[in-house]
Amino acid sequence: MPAVLDPAASLPTDDTDDTPAAGVAATVILPVTGMTCAACQSRVQRQLTRAPGVTAASVNLLMGSATVTFDPGVVSPAALVKVVLDAGYDAELPIEGDDVVEQLAARDATTSHEYDALRLKAVVSGVAGAVAMLVSMPLMVRGDHALMSDHAAGGVVADPFMRWVMTALSPLLEAAFPWLYRVPPAVISWSLLVMTVGVMVWAGRQFYVGAWNALMHRSADMNTLVAVGTGAAFVYSVTATVAPDLFTRNGVAPDVYYEAVIFIIALILTGKMFEASATRRTSSALRALAQLRPTTARVMRPTPDGSMVEAELSLADVRVNDLVVIRPGERLPVDGVVESGASAVDESMLTGESMPVAKGVGARVIGGTINATGAIRYRATTLGARSMLAQIMTLMRDAQASRAPIQGLADRISGIFVPVVMGLSLVTFATWFAVLTQGGTGAGAATVRAFAAAVAVLIIACPCAMGLAVPTAVMVATGRGAESGVLIKGGEALQRAGDVTTIILDKTGTVTEGRPTVTDVLIAPGATIDTDALLTFAGSLEQSSEHPIAGAVVRGARDRGLTLTEATAFESQTGRGATAMVGGQWVAVGNATQMQELSLDVSSMQEAVAALSAAARTAVYVAVDGTLAGVIAVADPVRATSRAAIAELQHMGLRVVMLTGDTLATATAVARDTGISAVVAGVLPAGKVAAVRDEQRDGRVVAMVGDGVNDAPALAQADVGIAIGTGTDVAIEAADIALMRGDLSGVARAIALSRATMRTMKQNLFWAFVYNVIGIPVAAGVLYPVFGVLLSPVLASAAMAFSSVSVVTNSLRLRRA
C-alpha cells in the first residue's frame, strides 16, 4: 500500500500546542491581492525579505500568495500582513481550521468571480470601443480636418492603424448613417468624452487605482504604464475637446483619441480575461484531487435501543473510529483500516497505478479512491486536513506556490523594468519631437506624433509575461507529476531534478521489493540446535525491529507455525543487527560486522555464506549465548519494474549506481540482474552519505533514491532526494520528490518532467524578454525611417495582452508531458 505520508505521525493531535517556539523557524502562506505583474511580485517579496525576523520569502503572482519563513520570536504573521499592506497591496492572515480542499474551493470561487467580472468589462468596453470608433469616423475623415492633420504632421499621422480602419469603413458608415456626418464635431467629441469617462471609471478603474497606490508607495508597475499611457491620451483628447482653438491656431487638427483609450482598456482586459481562464487550468490537477473527496459518508451509528444502523452523514460529522460502509463502485470518503470484507480499490487517481489494489482485513485505504468490486467496512483513522488526500493536496499547493531559482533572473529585471520603460517613453517623445521639428514639421503636429509613439511604448511594455513565465510552468508540472504519482516538493526541486547526472539507488525496498522472505536456515558446524529453534530465537528477537529483513525472519518463523516469545533488553546496532534476551538466553542476530564486534568466529560458515551471496541471498548470522548457532538466508526479489526503469534511466544518459549495506556478493548479483554497472556495498548510513559526497566532489549532480530510515541522511545530502512511496515517513520527509508508487519508473518520469519543464521555463522567459526587446523599439518607431512602419497604441495593447496569454498557453503544454 503506497504510504506517502503517515497523517498520525506527521501532524500534531488536537491537544498539542503547535505554536512554534521563539528561535524556531515557522512558515506562513499569506493570501496577497492587488498584484498585477512581475514588478508587483518583486516589490512584495523585497519588502518581506527585508522585514526583521524573516529568513526567506517567496511571492507567487499566479497563486496570489506569499510564503514566508520567519522567527516567531521576532515577528508575527500579523506584522507580516502589515508589511504587505505598507508595500501597497492587500493581504490577510490565512483562515485557521480550513483544510486545503476548503481553501481551494474558496480560491476557485474568487477566481470565477474575477473572471466573470473581467469578461463583462472586456465585452462592454470592447463594444464601447467599436461604437466610439464608428462615431469618430466623421471627425477623422471630415475633409478639411483630415487634410489639415495629415499636412501639418508631414504625412506622419498620430495613429496610422486607427486612421486606416476608419478611412476604410467610413464610406460604408456614411451610406448607412448619413445623419451622423451632419452632427457637429463638438457634439461628437463631447459624446465620446462622456463614453470614455464611463469606461475608464467602471472598466479601467483597477488600473488607475493601482497606479495611484503604487505612486503613493513610490513604486511603479503595470498599472502605472497603462494609467499613464491611457491617461495621457485622455488628457490630450479632453484638451482638444474643451479648447480646440489651442490646436487650430498652431495648424494642428484637434483630433481626439477617445476610441484608442477605450480600445486599449478593452484589449488589456481581454488579455487579463484569457490569462485568468488559462491560469485557472494550470491548477486543474489540484482541483481534480479536491473533487475526489465525497461530501457524505455512510457510517454505522447506534440507535436508542442499542442496535447499529447505517446513517448518511456529512463528511464534517464523521469521527475517528467510525465504522464506514462502502459498496461496490462507491468512492471512499475518509482514510481508514479495513475491518471486514474484501475488495479491489482503484487508486489510480492518487498513485497513477492503473490496476486496482487488493484490500483485505487490516489493509489501509485512502479517502478519495474508488471501491471497485466487493463490499467492505473500515474504521476511519484520519479526517479532514490530516487525511492523506488533504496532505497530498497541501504538498501540491505549497509546491505550486514555491519558486524555481530561475525566477530570480525575471525578478531582477522586473525590479527596474517599469522605471526604465517610462524613461524610454520620455526619450521616444523627445526624439520624435526633435526629428520632426528639425524636418520642418510644426511643433503642434510634432507633439501629436511624438505623443502617440510615447504612449505606444508605455502600453506595449508590460512585465506580466515575465512574472508568469516560471510559476505557470511550475504549477502545471507539479500537477502533471501528481497525476502520474510523482509528488514534487517545490520549484527548486523541480529545477534541480533536470540537472541530475547520477542516480544512486538504495537496494532494499528500492531496486528490490523490500519484503524479503526466508529461503534457507543453516546450522553452524558443532552447534547443538535445530532449525526450528534457531528460527524461533531469531524471530523472537526480530519482533522488536522494524528492519525489512527482521520482518522476513518473523514471517518465516510464523509461516512454519513456530511460537515466538517476547524479547527483553533489546538493543539495536544500526547497520549491524540487534541483541536481546530470549527465554533467558542471550541472542544476537546481524551481519558479519556485528559478529566480529562480538568476537565471534564466522569462518566455519564462510563458504556457505559465499554461495548464498552469489545467489543474491542475504546471510543473517545468529548467535546464542556467545556461540555462533547458524545462518538464516533471506532473499529480496527484484521489483518487476526495476529492470525496465533502470534501462530507461541509462537511456536518458544518467549514470546509475546501487548503494547498499548488504554484502558485495549479494549486491553484485542484484546489479547483474538489473543491468547496473556501479555498486557500493557494505555501507552504513554514514557511508551512504559519504558515497553521495564522493559523487558530488567529482562534479556530478546526484539524485539519491531510497525508502528507509537509514536512507534519510543520504536523501538530505543529495542534490535531489527521491523517496519511494512505500518507504518510511522519515525518508519521505527528507526527500525533495516522493513517488506514490513503489517502483523506480517514477524516477525517470520525474527527471523527464523536470527537463521538459526547464525547457518550457526557458522558452517562456526567452519570449517574454524578446517580446519587449523587439516590441518597445518598434513601438518607439525605429522601423519608420526605413520601412514606414508605425505601431498604433491600440495594436500595442493587443500585443501586450497576447504576450501574457502566450506564456501561459505554452506552459499548459506540460499537461501532455
Side-chain angles (χ1 to χ4, degrees), residues 416-453:
I416 61 172
F417 184 82
V418 175
V420 168
V421 168
M422 296 186 71
L424 289 174
S425 178
L426 293 175
V427 170
T428 299
F429 180 88
T431 301
W432 269 99
F433 184 82
V435 170
L436 289 175
T437 53
Q438 289 178 6
T441 302
T447 300
V448 173
R449 178 59 252 162
F451 164 77

Side-chain angles (χ1 to χ4, degrees), residues 138-139 142 145 181-192 241 256:
L139 295 180
R142 219 177 280 267
H145 209 141
Y181 285 74
R182 295 192 294 270
V183 177
V187 174
I188 294 178
S189 295
W190 280 97
S191 300
L192 290 171
T241 301
V256 293

Side-chain angles (χ1 to χ4, degrees), residues 147-164:
L147 288 173
M148 185 187 305
S149 178
D150 286 349
H151 174 73
V156 183
V157 295
D159 193 336
F161 172 74
M162 293 301 293
R163 186 176 292 278
W164 175 81

Side-chain angles (χ1 to χ4, degrees), residues 27-371:
T27 300
V28 64
I29 300 179
L30 303 175
V32 180
T33 56
M35 297 188 296
T36 56
C37 65
C40 304
Q41 173 183 276
S42 180
R43 176 173 174 77
V44 174
Q45 181 165 303
R46 187 168 59 248
Q47 296 300 104
L48 284 170
T49 303
R50 291 174 178 172
V54 173
T55 56
S58 172
V59 178
N60 190 302
L61 171 65
L62 196 60
M63 296 284 286
S65 66
T67 304
V68 189
T69 303
F70 62 99
D71 182 350
V74 178
V75 65
S76 67
L80 296 174
V81 169
K82 188 176 185 303
V83 170
V84 178
L85 294 174
D86 291 342
Y89 304 91
D90 293 326
E92 58 186 17
L93 292 172
I95 300 174
E96 296 293 337
D98 283 359
D99 65 17
V100 69
V101 177
E102 294 166 341
Q103 293 169 8
L104 182 64
R107 195 180 81 191
D108 275 352
T110 301
T111 303
S112 297
H113 175 73
E114 291 175 351
Y115 173 78
D116 291 341
L118 284 170
R119 182 175 59 183
L120 177 62
K121 291 179 179 179
V123 171
V124 172
S125 55
V127 171
V131 171
M133 182 182 68
L134 295 175
V135 172
S136 298
M137 287 184 186
L139 295 180
M140 296 292 288
V141 299
R142 219 177 280 267
D144 57 338
H145 209 141
L147 288 173
M148 185 187 305
S149 178
D150 286 349
H151 174 73
V156 183
V157 295
D159 193 336
F161 172 74
M162 293 301 293
R163 186 176 292 278
W164 175 81
V165 171
M166 292 182 179
T167 303
L169 295 180
S170 183
L172 298 176
L173 182 68
E174 187 171 7
F177 306 102
W179 58 267
L180 185 60
Y181 285 74
R182 295 192 294 270
V183 177
V187 174
I188 294 178
S189 295
W190 280 97
S191 300
L192 290 171
L193 170 59
V194 173
M195 181 185 298
T196 304
V197 169
V199 171
M200 293 175 74
V201 171
W202 177 66
R205 180 177 181 274
Q206 65 192 68
F207 303 124
Y208 305 108
V209 172
W212 177 256
N213 289 336
L215 178 64
M216 292 297 97
H217 290 86
R218 298 184 297 280
S219 66
D221 55 23
M222 183 208 78
N223 292 318
T224 306
L225 299 179
V226 176
V228 171
T230 57
F234 177 73
V235 170
Y236 179 92
S237 300
V238 170
T239 304
T241 301
V242 175
D245 292 344
L246 293 177
F247 295 82
T248 55
R249 76 166 63 113
N250 290 300
V252 178
D255 287 336
V256 293
Y257 299 99
Y258 294 122
E259 75 288 340
V261 173
I262 297 174
F263 264 125
I264 288 171
I265 292 174
L267 287 169
I268 293 175
L269 287 173
T270 300
K272 287 289 183 185
M273 179 191 72
F274 284 119
E275 181 184 307
S277 175
T279 53
R280 191 172 185 270
R281 298 208 307 269
T282 62
S283 58
S284 60
L286 187 59
R287 192 173 299 105
L289 283 178
Q291 293 170 350
L292 294 181
R293 192 172 74 174
T295 57
T296 61
R298 190 184 302 106
V299 301
M300 300 299 295
R301 284 291 169 88
T303 61
D305 62 3
S307 61
M308 300 291 289
V309 296
E310 290 185 10
E312 189 86 13
L313 302 178
S314 167
L315 209 59
D317 295 328
V318 179
R319 298 291 179 262
V320 173
N321 289 326
D322 270 344
L323 187 62
V324 182
V325 179
I326 296 295
R327 298 189 177 98
E330 293 183 337
R331 195 177 294 276
L332 280 64
V334 296
D335 298 353
V337 176
V338 177
E339 187 164 290
S340 64
S343 183
V345 177
D346 179 1
E347 298 178 343
S348 59
M349 65 288 296
L350 296 178
T351 66
E353 175 59 63
S354 58
M355 295 298 293
V357 180
K359 301 291 181 181
V361 175
R364 291 182 62 187
V365 290
I366 305 174
T369 57
I370 299 175
N371 182 36

Side-chain angles (χ1 to χ4, degrees), residues 637-715:
V638 172
R639 292 183 186 273
T641 57
S642 290
R643 297 178 187 85
I646 291 168
E648 185 176 359
L649 291 171
Q650 293 169 335
H651 180 71
M652 294 169 69
L654 298 168
R655 180 171 181 265
V656 181
V657 179
M658 190 172 73
L659 194 63
T660 179
D662 212 335
T663 66
L664 179 60
T666 301
T668 302
V670 173
R672 184 172 55 249
D673 190 26
T674 55
I676 298 174
S677 57
V679 176
V680 179
V683 291
L684 301 176
K688 293 184 178 183
V689 174
V692 172
R693 286 176 179 161
D694 288 343
E695 294 286 336
Q696 291 171 326
R697 272 194 293 268
D698 290 339
R700 299 185 178 100
V701 180
V702 179
M704 171 70 192
V705 187
D707 75 321
V709 173
N710 60 351
D711 297 322
L715 290 170

Side-chain angles (χ1 to χ4, degrees), residues 761-813:
M761 289 179 183
K762 291 174 181 177
Q763 290 166 0
N764 287 350
L765 288 173
F766 173 80
W767 288 113
F769 293 148
V770 167
Y771 161 79
N772 284 293
V773 168
I774 295 175
I776 292 175
V778 171
V782 296
L783 297 181
Y784 181 75
V786 179
F787 300 103
V789 175
L790 289 172
L791 187 62
S792 160
V794 173
L795 288 179
S797 63
M800 187 269 283
F802 174 77
S803 69
S804 297
V805 175
S806 63
V807 162
V808 178
T809 303
N810 188 47
S811 295
L812 287 172
R813 293 190 305 115

